[in-house]
């Protein structure tokens, strides 16, 4: 048995003896008998604007309620100075601007000394970084020229940490947009933006905005680079968007409508975020969807990080946990048309209506959409009836688009059984299964897919996360136990990669000051981001996915929990290496002899990536982002009879060159 010694993150195995109480096992890995190909896009991401994932999160806008469209128009704003009655007035031009009716009229002609201004609190404050430029922009209409906007970033003590001036340039009729950039002089996690109106005059303001210049790819009005980077680091195979329940809406009027999220941002019609009021224990009254991150940006994000886009559309039903409204079948046409138009938006020639819009927005090339989800967590015959109408219309026009259909909210039970059987009869392409369960469920279900029908639909393990307490409990933690149980379960997913072709953890992001649902894969605050142990499990799968599944057995049986061990193996034909994953939930280490059938010898140096903690309650945090994180080292193995050692409570990836 061997003692492991680390040299930096990649070290050399130098000596022996791991533990005197280690167990011994022999796994047979049939390297020469692949059972199927691994979908190169198998391991992906589930994105939903929950927990301030989009607004207040990855969408880098710092001003909250920038166009005064929240239910309370001045939510997030305070007045500054001595404003006489009527000096600051929210006006509503509903008749001719139905999508963005409100704006702020500022009149300083009767203001006395002391100045007049407004201050925005940001989303739980604004994360400001020293030395970075901030891009302020505003749409305005000068009614009586004379007002200059003096801008200040202030920290929580009121100290100014950035200054700028915007002097409206044009007196032309109509609305103009103007921008100015200024540098921050200090870092602060919860700053505010003050706007002082200097001089005498009258001006209308809308879309008051502040972005950091260091957005992803430096795109103005873009995404938070650190949040995109941590996604890109997973090398995700697909990006599912925009949810989740948000697709369904509390009622149909609040459902996600992709067409309202594309085109000029000032015309994207905001709606309340359904997570605003979903949980009485986590109310978030300032949570709305501005759609600065709209469908164009989702497609662009997917492309940027090398992921296949997987949009999910409303199927004509609102959330069945809320109003459960359904559109009458004879009124489903606009919903179907949205689906067909979305395919045209993503893939159509620039001469088509929606393809042209994509080109006008800056992407003449198609986005190469191959999959489309119809409905999220919908169930019952009412879903099946509506889905059938979508299926007919989509397949008639776009036979190559794979349809992803919901199997409801749970991985078993009456609803699941009904849907699973109905969807198989409908010859559905892909069935989306969700499981939010206790860690024990994940350990106990590592063989779930071993007997799935190989000739039927493919499976999308579309939303899963081990719940340390119970589903959606605010006390759930992303601790090592939950991550280890997912790692164990996913050996069963990988072993069955010929039938489970897509997999994603959910939800993706949680803001430490603005979440509604826990656990989440990645947590952020206004300045930083960290991956949970669960994130590292997902990443180890997605970055070590191989090309072909190969059988891994212990005495002829899959390794799925006996003696606390769970294991799977894939071959990477391009690199001529076998990748073996082993989760050990036992308190003992284990020595595993590897019998690689069909291979006479292997290279003596192999890579071992280990994720472990002796403390099953351990979590990562903003201050300790790497408490549970992978360590890599080179190990030496016997050329003909390689063996490896796995520590107690560990998840391991071994990469052995053949
Ligand atoms: O991931 C959080 C929610 O869980 C999703 O919105 C929904 O699909 C599921 O119930």
């Amino acid at each position: 048995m061997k003692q492991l010694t680390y040299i930096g993150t990649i070290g050399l195995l130098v000596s022996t003896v791991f533990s005197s109480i280690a167990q011994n096992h022999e796994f047979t890995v049939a390297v020469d008998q692949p059972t199927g190909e691994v979908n190169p896009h198998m391991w992906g991401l589930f994105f939903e604007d929950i927990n301030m994932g989009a607004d207040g999160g990855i969408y880098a806008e710092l001003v909250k309620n920038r166009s005064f469209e929240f239910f309370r128009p001045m939510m997030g704003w305070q007045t500054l100075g001595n404003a006489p009655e009527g000096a600051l007035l929210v006006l509503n031009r509903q008749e001719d601007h139905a999508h963005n009716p409100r704006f702020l009229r500022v009149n300083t002609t009767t203001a006395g000394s002391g100045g007049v201004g407004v201050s925005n609190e940001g989303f739980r404050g604004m994360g400001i970084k020293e030395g970075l430029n901030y891009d302020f922009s505003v749409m305005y209409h000068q009614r009586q020229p004379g007002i200059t906007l003096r801008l200040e970033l202030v920290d929580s003590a009121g100290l100014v940490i950035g200054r700028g001036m915007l002097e409206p340039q044009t007196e032309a009729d109509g609305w103009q947009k103007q921008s100015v950039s200024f540098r921050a002089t200090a870092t602060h996690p919860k700053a505010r933006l003050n706007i002082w109106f200097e001089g005498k005059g009258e001006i209308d303001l809308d879309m008051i905005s502040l972005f950091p210049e260091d957005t992803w790819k430096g795109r103005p009005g873009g995404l938070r680079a650190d949040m995109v980077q941590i996604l890109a680091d997973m090398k995700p195979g697909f990006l599912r968007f925009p949810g989740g329940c948000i697709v369904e809406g509390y009622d149909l009027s609040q459902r996600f409508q992709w067409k309202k999220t594309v085109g000029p941002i000032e015309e994207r019609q905001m709606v309340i975020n359904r997570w605003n009021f979903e949980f009485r224990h986590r109310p978030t009254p300032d949570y709305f969807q501005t759609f600065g991150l709209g469908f164009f940006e989702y497609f662009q994000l997917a492309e940027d990080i090398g992921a296949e886009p997987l949009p999910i559309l409303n199927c004509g039903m609102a959330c069945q946990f809320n109003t459960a409204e359904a559109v009458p079948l004879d009124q489903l046409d606009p919903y179907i048309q949205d689906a067909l138009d979305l395919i045209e938006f993503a893939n159509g020639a620039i001469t088509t209506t929606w393809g042209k819009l994509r080109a006008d927005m800056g992407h003449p090339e198609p986005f190469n959409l191959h999959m489309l989800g119809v409905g999220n967590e919908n169930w019952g015959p009412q879903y099946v009836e509506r889905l059938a109408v979508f299926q007919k219309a989509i397949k008639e026009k776009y036979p190559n688009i794979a349809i992803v259909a919901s199997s409801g909210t749970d991985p078993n039970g009456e609803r699941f059984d009904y849907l699973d059987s109905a969807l198989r009869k409908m010859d559905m392409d892909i069935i989306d299964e969700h499981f939010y369960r206790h860690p024990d469920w994940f350990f106990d279900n590592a063989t779930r897919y071993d007997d799935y029908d190989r000739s039927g639909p493919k499976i999308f393990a579309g939303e899963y996360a081990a719940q340390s307490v119970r589903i959606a409990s605010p006390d759930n933690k992303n601790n090592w136990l939950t991550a280890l149980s997912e790692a164990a379960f996913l050996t069963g997913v990988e072993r069955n990669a010929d039938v489970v072709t897509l997999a994603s953890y959910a939800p993706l992001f949680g803001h430490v000051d603005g979440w509604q649902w826990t656990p989440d894969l990645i947590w952020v605050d206004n300045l930083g981001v960290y991956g949970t142990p669960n994130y590292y499990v997902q990443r180890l799968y997605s970055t070590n996915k191989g090309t072909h599944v190969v059988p891994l057995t212990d005495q002829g049986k899959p390794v799925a929990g006996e003696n606390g061990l769970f294991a799977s193996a894939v071959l990477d034909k391009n690199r001529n290496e076998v990748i073996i994953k082993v989760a050990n939930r036992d308190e003992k280490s284990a020595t595993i002899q590897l019998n690689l059938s069909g291979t006479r010898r292997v290279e003596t140096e192999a890579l071992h990536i280990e994720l472990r903690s002796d403390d099953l309650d351990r979590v990562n945090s903003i201050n300790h982002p790497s408490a549970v994180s992978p360590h890599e080292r080179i190990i030496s193995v016997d050329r003909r009879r390689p063996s490896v050692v796995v520590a107690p409570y560990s998840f391991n990836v071994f990469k052995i060159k053949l």
Side-chain angles (χ1 to χ4, degrees), residues 247-248 252 255-256 312-320 325-329 331-332 335-336 339 373-379 382-390 404-406:
V247 170
E248 303 158 62
L252 283 168
R255 74 187 190 276
F256 199 102
I312 307 284
L313 294 184
N314 187 294
C315 64
M317 296 171 70
C319 179
Q320 287 161 276
E325 288 177 345
V327 175
L329 281 173
Q331 290 173 33
L332 204 51
Y335 292 74
I336 307 279
V374 178
N376 171 72
E377 288 199 347
N378 296 110
W379 67 78
Q382 62 275 45
Y383 172 55
V384 172
E385 278 175 333
R386 283 160 183 77
L387 179 64
V389 187
F390 274 88
V404 176
S406 156

Side-chain angles (χ1 to χ4, degrees), residues 438-446 481 484-485 488-489 560-561 566 585:
H438 190 268
D440 287 343
W441 184 92
F442 283 83
F443 286 123
D444 293 345
N445 279 273
L481 175 64
L484 184 60
S485 73
F489 175 78
F566 300 79
R585 73 176 296 196

